[in-house]
Amino acid sequence: MTASTRMLKPGDTIGILGGGQLGRMLAMAAARLGLKCQVFSPDPDSPAFDVVQHATCAEFADVEALELFANDVDIITYEFENVPSATALVLAARRPVLPSQKILETTQDRLIEKDFITRLGIGTADYADVSSVETLHAAIARIGLPAVIKTRRFGYDGKGQAMIREGDDIDQVWEDLGTKSAILEAFVPFEREISVIAARSCDGHVECFDVTENEHRDHILKISRAPAAIPAELAAEARSVAEKIAHALNYVGVLGVEMFVVETKNGPTVLVNEIAPRVHNSGHWTLDGASISQFEQHIRAIAGWPLGKPIRHGAVVTMTNLIGDDILSYEEWLTVPGATVHLYGKGPPRPGRKMGHVTEVVPADRK
Ligand SMILES: Nc1ncnc2c1ncn2[C@@H]1O[C@H](COP(=O)(O)OP(=O)(O)O)[C@@H](O)[C@H]1O
Ligand SMILES: [Mg+2]
């Protein structure tokens, strides 16, 4: 155990930055282990506020509120990667922040993240730094089309990115993106998308959940299936990529690594798409489909406790996101045999808003 971490005891308090569904599910997992959570979020309607006794509703730039929050908790973690670095610095001066501030810097910026992955010798889509319309033209000349342009920072659920195809008006694409800080990525003709949810403890032990296969609709995760229908060697490769990333970041907690499966003349391999320094939507199946959930695993890791060995409960586990108006069918889902329904307690269902999810476990004898 390093100086920056200490072993928590039941009854201790974890501070969580961000009050969405991930913070809510983290707090519920912590409660099961006898730990308390205090949630910090600027949004008074935060779903995570509903499940904790103590909450701070303040802006992330409110230094006084941050200091009071830090005084009330034993360690601090977060449910989203866009924690401003100034916020993390104020907090880290008072309490351990896990995963560490340095990890945020790497994963908040797609260019820094891709450079980091590349330095580890791990494959990604071909990419280029783009900071002007001239550099965009040059990047297209090198990488070719189709390609995907993405803002370096603050993109999620497909926001802040656009596909560029042959014949598109490049100057217009650049203007529409509205930033001076982007990357161009070659479009990857992937065979499927997978993710690895990995946990690393403060003594450097890594546990990965079964590789998950992910189906997106309108750039938003719709369905995850575990285990991914891929050969065992490819699953092992995917897990070892996630493990390498976790070690290189000296990571403590749960991270999600999104990958593309691509065919090569030597068989299938993986390219890393992005790293999420937090629990991840594609790991929600672990709540009902495994002996330890990703949320519990994260809490164990940051608490300085041993990680669990996750054992999947069924032959196949699927997780379906209830997005926007999908939530209106929750009563139907409640009657589906074997389904477990999770509702996040959010306000009105807006298009693209993640409102809940459903897990279905197929027992081994009904594979
Ligand atoms: N280079 C690419 N080639 C092919 N598809 C891509 C590429 N980049 C992104 N996508 C598609 O868009 C989705 C969202 O992109 P991603 O980079 O993961 O951003 P976000 O932060 O929005 O999740 C991916 O899961 C994938 O389906
Ligand atoms: Mg993604």
Side-chain angles (χ1 to χ4, degrees):
M1 186 135 316
T2 63
S4 65
T5 57
R6 74 174 186 89
M7 183 87 90
L8 294 190
K9 298 202 173 45
D12 285 346
T13 302
I14 297 170
I16 300 175
L17 302 174
Q21 66 272 16
L22 301 181
R24 176 180 168 107
M25 291 186 272
L26 280 170
M28 292 196 289
R32 207 174 70 164
L33 296 173
L35 293 158
K36 298 178 196 307
C37 289
Q38 177 158 343
V39 171
F40 190 114
S41 167
D43 179 1
D45 286 332
S46 292
F49 286 170
D50 295 347
V51 302
V52 294
Q53 199 176 358
H54 298 288
T56 307
C57 190
E59 295 301 321
F60 289 115
D62 184 338
V63 173
E64 200 186 331
L66 290 171
E67 287 174 353
L68 290 171
F69 169 77
N71 288 342
D72 282 346
V73 304
D74 297 290
I75 54 165
I76 296 165
T77 190
Y78 42 86
E79 61 135 35
F80 72 117
E81 57 272 47
N82 287 318
V83 174
S85 54
T87 303
L89 283 173
V90 169
L91 295 171
R94 284 161 185 80
R95 291 290 183 274
V97 175
L98 292 170
S100 77
Q101 145 82 16
K102 207 179 144 288
I103 289 161
L104 287 172
E105 282 166 21
T106 305
T107 54
Q108 279 176 354
D109 184 312
R110 292 188 193 277
L111 180 64
I112 297 175
E113 181 174 277
K114 285 233 156 47
D115 285 346
F116 162 76
I117 296 164
T118 304
R119 276 199 307 276
L120 293 179
I122 296 169
T124 69
D126 251 355
Y127 65 98
D129 181 8
V130 171
S131 55
S132 63
V133 75
E134 292 77 27
T135 47
L136 176 56
H137 280 285
I140 291 172
R142 179 168 77 75
I143 288 175
L145 292 179
V148 186
I149 186 151
K150 302 182 181 178
T151 58
R152 279 173 61 172
R153 299 172 69 89
F154 303 121
Y156 71 99
D157 286 347
K159 294 190 176 60
Q161 60 176 274
M163 177 90 161
I164 310 180
R165 294 179 180 83
E166 210 65 63
D168 283 352
D169 178 346
I170 307 302
D171 295 24
Q172 191 61 48
V173 168
W174 179 246
E175 205 179 305
D176 292 347
L177 196 70
T179 178
K180 288 200 164 54
S181 191
I183 62 169
L184 186 77
E185 284 180 22
F187 178 79
V188 178
F190 55 79
E191 192 233 315
R192 65 185 84 216
E193 289 190 86
I194 59 170
S195 57
V196 178
I197 309 298
R200 186 171 179 276
S201 64
C202 42
D203 56 8
H205 178 69
V206 173
E207 285 289 347
C208 296
F209 289 92
D210 290 298
V211 179
T212 306
E213 188 164 335
N214 303 312
E215 221 176 281
H216 294 82
R217 294 213 189 123
D218 302 327
H219 297 280
I220 305 175
L221 181 66
K222 182 59 191 167
I223 296 176
S224 289
R225 283 186 194 83
I230 56 175
E233 310 79 67
L234 190 63
E237 180 189 338
R239 281 195 299 271
S240 80
V241 161
E243 190 163 344
K244 195 169 185 181
I245 289 171
H247 287 312
L249 290 169
N250 203 16
Y251 200 90
V252 178
V254 161
L255 78 165
V257 183
E258 298 176 9
M259 304 178 198
F260 299 126
V261 174
V262 288
E263 286 299 337
T264 70
K265 57 181 189 311
N266 302 319
T269 188
V270 295
L271 300 177
V272 168
N273 174 31
E274 61 173 349
I275 304 169
R278 53 171 170 78
V279 285
H280 191 263
N281 195 169
S282 69
H284 288 4
W285 66 267
T286 61
L287 274 172
D288 310 299
S291 53
I292 308 278
S293 75
Q294 62 165 345
F295 302 98
E296 174 167 343
Q297 199 75 304
H298 183 73
I299 297 294
R300 285 180 180 223
I302 63 172
W305 294 5
L307 298 179
K309 184 96 199 153
I311 312 269
R312 180 164 31 84
H313 289 323
V316 181
V317 186
T318 64
M319 188 282 316
T320 306
N321 265 340
L322 303 179
I323 299 167
D325 281 348
D326 292 348
I327 194 72
L328 303 176
S329 60
Y330 77 92
E331 284 182 272
E332 280 164 49
W333 279 110
L334 289 171
T335 64
V336 173
T340 313
V341 178
H342 298 252
L343 306 177
Y344 303 150
K346 291 187 180 178
R350 290 190 296 269
R353 192 174 195 199
K354 290 175 179 167
M355 305 297 293
H357 73 266
V358 181
T359 320
E360 291 169 278
V361 178
V362 178
D365 59 356
R366 270 190 270 143
K367 193 171 171 181

